[in-house]
Amino acid sequence: MAGTSDGTNDSVDSKTQVDPAARIAALTEQINYHNQRYYEQDTPEIPDAEWDALTRELKELEAAHPELALDDSPTQRVGGAPSATFAPVTHRVRMMSLDNAFSIEELQAWAGRVAKGLDLDDAAAPVGYMCELKIDGVACSLRYEDGNLVQAATRGNGLVGEDITANVHGIKVIPRKLKGKNPPAVVEVRGEIYMPLKTFAELNEAQEAAGLPRYVNPRNTAAGSLRQKDSAITASRGLEFWSYQLGEVEGGPALESHSASLDWLEELGMPVNPERRPVKTIDEVKAFSDEFIERRHDLVYEIDGAVVKVDRLSRQRALGSTAKAPRWAIAIKFPPEERTTTLNDIQVSIGRTGKATPFAVLEPVFVGGSTVSMATLHNYDQVKAKNIRPGDTVIVRKAGDVIPEVLGPVLSDRAKNSVPWEFPTHCPACAQELVRPDGEPQTFCVNPLCPAQIHNRIEYFASRGAMDIEGFGERTVGTFLDAGLIQDVGDIYNLDWEKVGQLEGFGQISIDNLSAAIEASKTKPLANLLVGLGIRHLGPAGAGLLAQAFGHIDRIMTATAEEMAAIDGVGPTIAQSAASYFATEEAKALVEKFRTAGVNLVGPEASNLDQTLEGMVIVVTGGLDGFSRSGAAEAIKGRGGKNPGSVSKKTNYVVVGAEAGASKVNKAEELGIPMINEADFVKLLDTGEL
Ligand code: IVH
């Protein structure tokens, strides 16, 4: 449980903030962060239900304060940015997402909007719906031309996805050729690639047998399997596919309904889930959904809800779509799954800031598609409020198949001799007394030399969101600490490689890779270094602002809290925390180690940028994760490039972000101007070429 709950977003996760603009900014930052983890890194940190709650709060705030809604709000976007590994594919017909209904009331409200939009009275003249299962996998578009599979693409941001044709060729259930003598000239089949539960379980058994970590859940494992550079690996993963929607079609039969389109896909030899049902009324839709809440465990794949679509295509056309989702369909999200198991123990882990977090040690239980043996309990008050004791039978829930949660005990099963759990008085890692500040829910180990804190701080420094040193994970950090090779993050840059070479498991290849990764981290932006220092309350946004405003770590170190708080977007809590941190001798000593090693200490403003884009014209459309609009423009102009607002013959590249403008994308397509994603844009900024 290294690093549990010591997230980077301490400064933004309080719902008690009253300023709606600040809350909107905080939610946007959190959702963007989690979107990146989910869509681009396949490593979600929070359950879907929690993500849903954040998104919902943001939507409500935006509805209440439309003037504060950000143009590039994540509520207006679909999915993540396309990756650099696979070539971009511009979808001819956009791949949309679905809105969600979390209750029968929300489902009825949707049906009400549909009936109103169609000018029908659902009770008197039923709208007619198609009910389907919501498969928990990865959306994919398969393009068949004259019956042959010519391209497979992920959804990406809905407009531009990734070309995964080579990998999809290895999925046996996806035909390379459609059935029938007269295949349509073009048919795009949209559906979900998923990993069956049995395949997932077998894969994890093999992982365990090889002493490797278990995969989290079938959905992310399917996504990870699809992103392999080596298509043989994808082919070995036993992925499957259900078709659920048509994209572009040319030369197909005249279809009147969505249900007829699914039947047609079946005739063409595509796998279509048999658990689908055309119904007349919304009550029947609810009955379908209720039936599968019961039956979901009997299925051999994971579902996270049902999908209902207005069946008649003319009615779908009449209803149209919003920026993100069709008005004619909605996902009915199922309530999270619950299971019971034994709470074997409650233990405490120490995070990088010294926070002591209790966690449940559970008798392993299969819930939400994976086996759970641990769950965070957050703090002492939560343990008391939940009234759980070691030895209890407890109810475990997995809201979004990611983070398990202990809901409470089954009191009728409680042993007579059971006693309440007490928070330990001393740190399990360094044995020093733990401290709970007055009025705070959290307990801390305040010993800066606590080995657990040191370990987690170093691991965090090397992690993706900070200095991104590949290969410097939990195990390496532990080995190096045990061997006395490092004591703090500064020592990473002064490793005795000869001694490393004497450690078990460190051959020349791993040494070369690790030293290259450490070397590469020296050129990371100053903001990443600041994030890596793990200063309480300072997340990526705040770090970026400090780096930009002061331009050099030396100026940040001598700045007062007031000077920091004067920066737009940096609040007093962050400012105070950063100023106190940099006043410490440890911080000063660390910075000297970085300086000696040649780690970048210069912020974006003050650096002398290479004129990599001299004479180039680059247009940016849509939201980028790592740049604001003006930030992208500055990055281009600062390197000698031009950044006009529209695409012309003179344009060299169009950078396509989330919710990109259709007119710019169309124009680029028309003029044959290369469209690139954010990762390529970063490469272009660095080197001036692709
Ligand atoms: S229809 C234009 N049908 O759920 C409508 N989507 O949360 C496009 N999904 O992006 C989607 N099962 O990846 C549709 N039976 C189903 C589905 C389904 C799973 C996924 C799909 C979509 C996501 C939205």
Side-chain angles (χ1 to χ4, degrees):
M1 300 276 291
T4 336
S5 71
D6 264 338
T8 53
N9 297 313
D10 300 14
S11 57
V12 293
D13 63 5
S14 160
K15 275 200 187 184
T16 51
Q17 263 173 306
V18 277
D19 175 7
R23 184 72 191 142
I24 286 177
L27 285 165
T28 302
E29 184 181 347
Q30 271 183 305
I31 295 168
N32 283 341
Y33 171 78
H34 291 300
N35 277 355
Q36 216 177 348
R37 293 211 54 129
Y38 184 91
Y39 289 111
E40 289 160 41
Q41 296 163 5
D42 305 325
T43 50
E45 244 177 35
I46 56 167
D48 289 2
E50 222 167 276
W51 184 92
D52 285 338
L54 292 173
T55 307
R56 181 177 278 238
E57 193 192 341
L58 180 56
K59 275 189 185 167
E60 281 166 9
L61 275 173
E62 288 175 344
H65 307 278
E67 74 287 359
L68 297 178
L70 303 171
D71 283 352
D72 59 348
S73 166
T75 60
Q76 302 303 311
R77 268 190 269 143
V78 176
S83 84
T85 317
F86 301 97
V89 173
T90 304
H91 299 300
R92 315 278 175 118
V93 174
R94 260 180 52 190
M95 285 186 81
M96 280 185 287
S97 182
L98 291 169
D99 285 332
N100 294 319
F102 292 94
S103 63
I104 177 69
E105 290 76 25
E106 290 186 3
L107 176 64
Q108 275 159 346
W110 170 78
R113 291 195 296 276
V114 166
K116 194 158 169 250
L118 295 173
D119 221 0
L120 292 172
D121 172 355
D122 188 42
V127 169
Y129 308 96
M130 183 65 181
C131 303
E132 296 167 21
L133 298 181
K134 188 166 185 309
I135 313 298
D136 203 6
V138 183
C140 179
S141 183
L142 307 172
R143 188 175 173 87
Y144 288 87
E145 286 178 3
D146 300 323
N148 298 307
L149 176 62
V150 294
Q151 189 171 61
T154 62
R155 185 175 66 180
N157 61 16
L159 286 171
V160 183
E162 298 153 3
D163 188 328
I164 51 165
T165 316
N167 287 353
V168 163
H169 277 158
I171 301 177
K172 288 198 195 81
V173 298
I174 295 181
R176 298 281 277 264
K177 247 183 176 341
L178 294 175
K179 265 197 210 154
K181 287 208 186 79
N182 286 316
V186 174
V187 56
E188 273 178 10
V189 184
R190 265 92 196 258
E192 204 84 350
I193 293 178
Y194 65 94
M195 179 172 277
L197 285 168
K198 188 160 170 276
T199 317
F200 176 71
E202 285 165 0
L203 197 62
N204 263 341
E205 273 168 34
Q207 285 288 108
E208 240 166 43
L212 295 168
R214 295 174 64 88
Y215 291 103
V216 179
N217 63 38
R219 187 244 158 235
N220 293 97
T221 316
S225 304
L226 272 180
R227 280 171 194 262
Q228 297 293 325
K229 282 188 195 145
D230 178 357
S231 55
I233 300 182
T234 313
S236 73
R237 293 282 169 87
L239 298 176
E240 302 207 1
F241 180 78
W242 290 128
S243 324
Y244 52 62
Q245 197 69 38
L246 287 174
E248 193 185 16
V249 181
E250 240 182 75
L255 296 165
E256 290 201 341
S257 65
H258 174 65
S259 45
S261 72
L262 294 183
D263 294 343
W264 179 55
L265 283 175
E266 214 160 33
E267 282 164 29
L268 292 174
M270 295 305 300
V272 184
N273 194 317
E275 307 288 4
R276 61 187 197 268
R277 189 180 302 161
V279 300
K280 289 203 174 69
T281 66
I282 207 72
D283 287 342
E284 291 168 283
V285 171
K286 181 176 180 299
F288 176 89
S289 162
D290 288 346
E291 180 183 327
F292 280 95
I293 290 176
E294 288 299 310
R295 286 180 54 199
R296 66 188 293 194
H297 302 301
D298 304 334
L299 300 168
V300 295
Y301 45 85
E302 277 205 302
I303 58 171
D304 59 343
V307 180
V308 51
K309 299 170 183 172
V310 169
D311 199 24
R312 216 185 281 176
L313 298 181
S314 57
R315 290 185 173 172
Q316 290 190 359
R317 280 191 288 273
L319 288 162
S321 304
T322 66
K324 190 180 159 204
R327 290 194 191 88
W328 43 263
I330 196 157
I332 308 167
K333 284 290 194 94
F334 287 171
E337 249 198 282
E338 291 174 10
R339 284 274 186 279
T340 56
T341 189
T342 307
L343 176 62
N344 287 332
D345 198 5
I346 298 176
Q347 293 179 5
V348 167
S349 75
I350 306 294
R352 67 183 162 84
T353 59
K355 197 195 280 174
T357 307
F359 64 95
V361 181
L362 301 161
E363 189 59 33
V365 59
F366 192 77
V367 56
S370 65
T371 303
V372 169
S373 54
M374 271 192 254
T376 179
L377 297 168
H378 304 288
N379 57 48
Y380 193 20
D381 292 345
Q382 291 259 340
V383 179
K384 283 194 274 194
K386 287 188 167 146
N387 180 22
I388 47 176
R389 299 175 178 185
D392 276 350
T393 300
V394 289
I395 302 164
V396 177
R397 172 167 83 178
K398 248 180 134 197
D401 308 329
V402 186
I403 297 178
E405 183 189 359
V406 175
L407 292 181
V410 179
L411 284 175
S412 54
D413 281 0
R414 177 169 280 174
K416 286 214 176 65
N417 59 355
S418 100
V419 282
W421 178 77
E422 299 285 344
F423 207 95
T425 51
H426 291 77
C427 172
C430 70
Q432 186 152 319
E433 202 166 343
L434 295 172
V435 176
R436 181 170 172 181
D438 277 349
E440 275 204 33
Q442 302 294 353
T443 306
F444 292 89
C445 167
V446 292
N447 171 14
L449 300 176
C450 169
Q453 288 181 51
I454 293 175
H455 182 124
N456 288 323
R457 277 202 294 270
I458 299 176
E459 207 183 314
Y460 181 73
F461 180 85
S463 67
R464 269 203 202 175
M467 297 301 267
D468 194 13
I469 308 178
E470 209 179 319
F472 219 92
E474 187 179 353
R475 214 185 286 182
T476 306
V477 174
T479 312
F480 285 12
L481 277 170
D482 290 346
L485 288 169
I486 49 172
Q487 256 128 29
D488 60 37
V489 295
D491 297 338
I492 295 176
Y493 296 102
N494 192 20
L495 278 168
D496 182 339
W497 290 104
E498 220 168 276
K499 286 201 179 132
V500 175
Q502 288 157 13
L503 296 171
E504 204 182 316
F506 285 90
Q508 199 50 49
I509 295 178
S510 44
I511 288 184
D512 289 349
N513 288 341
L514 194 58
S515 74
I518 292 173
E519 215 36 51
S521 77
K522 290 183 184 172
T523 57
K524 283 266 158 203
L526 176 57
N528 290 55
L529 181 68
L530 296 175
V531 168
L533 294 175
I535 301 164
R536 212 166 166 221
H537 302 299
L538 187 70
L545 292 169
L546 289 183
Q548 177 104 28
F550 291 103
H552 198 288
I553 202 162
D554 288 344
R555 285 196 278 286
I556 301 178
M557 291 187 72
T558 51
T560 61
E562 290 70 33
E563 284 169 322
M564 293 191 198
I567 301 165
D568 199 14
V570 176
T573 318
I574 297 178
Q576 193 55 57
S577 174
S580 325
Y581 173 82
F582 283 114
T584 63
E585 288 309 313
E586 287 85 0
K588 289 176 191 158
L590 270 184
V591 171
E592 285 323 305
K593 286 189 189 182
F594 296 142
R595 197 189 314 271
T596 311
V599 175
N600 172 46
L601 305 175
V602 183
E605 281 262 339
S607 66
N608 269 334
L609 296 173
D610 285 345
Q611 297 299 291
T612 45
L613 306 182
E614 192 89 68
M616 265 197 227
V617 181
I618 297 166
V619 174
V620 181
T621 172
L624 303 177
D625 284 323
F627 302 83
S628 64
R629 250 168 230 190
S630 54
E634 270 166 33
I636 296 168
K637 290 184 205 154
R639 288 167 178 79
K642 289 206 181 97
N643 176 232
S646 58
V647 179
S648 72
K649 274 193 298 203
K650 291 191 189 135
T651 310
N652 296 86
Y653 291 100
V654 176
V655 184
V656 180
E659 278 301 305
S663 66
K664 286 186 186 143
V665 170
N666 290 344
K667 187 83 191 219
E669 226 161 25
E670 198 182 294
L671 298 172
I673 290 162
M675 284 184 267
I676 60 171
N677 61 23
E678 185 168 348
D680 283 339
F681 176 50
V682 172
K683 221 182 285 169
L684 195 64
L685 291 174
D686 273 354
T687 63
E689 53 192 30
L690 290 179

